[in-house]
Amino acid sequence: TTTWQEGGASTSEIASFRHMGNETAHSQAHVLRGDEPDVLLGTDTGPNAVELVLAALGFCYAVGFAYNAAALGYDLEELSYDIEGDLDLRNFVGIEDGPRPGFTAIRVHGRAKARNASQEQLDELCRYVQRTSPVGDIIANPVPVEVSLTIG
């Protein structure tokens, strides 16, 4: 559940998830705080929503790479992702018509090191992770979004 706090700040509590058709509780509720930077009239008490999207992509790529490297018997020593996106906020802030309000491009640069895997093996693993990433798929492909609002 995401709850507005004040200004540009909101918190989201994630207490459970759906796994194999069943509601499954986390061992503890996770609370995320999002806000906008000062330049966008926030108080910068947390990352903004689009920064969290980029972080989610990095988290997803990292877990996919690490788990699959382990399954392949690779001894992973280092793994990181630098992710950036191009975003024009004119529509979002109501200044003027601009391009779409979301990212127009996202760039990911990964770095990996494994004692017992070649460059070719790590490159193939990277391609596999991109093909199988749930977050990558959500970003790259249209997903229907249904919204309802209760007043009062």
Side-chain angles (χ1 to χ4, degrees):
T1 300
T2 298
T3 305
W4 173 74
Q5 301 296 313
E6 61 181 341
S10 296
T11 57
S12 287
E13 182 175 290
I14 304 165
S16 63
F17 59 99
R18 302 237 7 119
H19 177 67
M20 298 180 69
N22 298 310
E23 193 70 17
T24 304
H26 282 284
S27 59
Q28 65 181 23
H30 302 288
V31 178
L32 303 174
R33 182 173 177 88
D35 197 357
E36 294 294 332
D38 298 338
V39 70
L40 294 175
L41 306 178
T43 54
D44 209 14
T45 59
N48 68 24
V50 294
E51 291 168 326
L52 288 168
V53 167
L54 296 179
L57 182 59
F59 294 157
C60 194
Y61 279 178
V63 72
F65 199 100
Y67 281 7
N68 284 286
L72 292 167
Y74 300 163
D75 187 10
L76 193 60
E77 297 177 271
E78 296 176 24
L79 178 65
S80 64
Y81 290 96
D82 292 322
I83 305 175
E84 62 183 12
D86 298 331
L87 188 65
D88 186 321
L89 295 175
R90 289 178 290 176
N91 283 335
F92 176 70
V93 299
I95 294 174
E96 61 181 81
D97 285 339
R100 59 179 288 185
F103 287 113
T104 55
I106 294 174
R107 289 170 299 285
V108 179
H109 177 74
R111 282 180 298 287
K113 181 178 177 184
R115 279 189 255 283
N116 59 341
S118 68
Q119 176 75 44
E120 183 178 286
Q121 289 170 314
L122 294 177
D123 284 340
E124 176 53 36
L125 177 55
C126 183
R127 287 188 294 275
Y128 176 79
V129 168
Q130 290 172 65
R131 287 192 311 270
T132 60
S133 165
V135 176
D137 179 74
I138 290 167
I139 291 171
N141 298 294
V143 177
V145 177
E146 295 179 28
V147 178
S148 64
L149 179 66
T150 301
I151 308 298

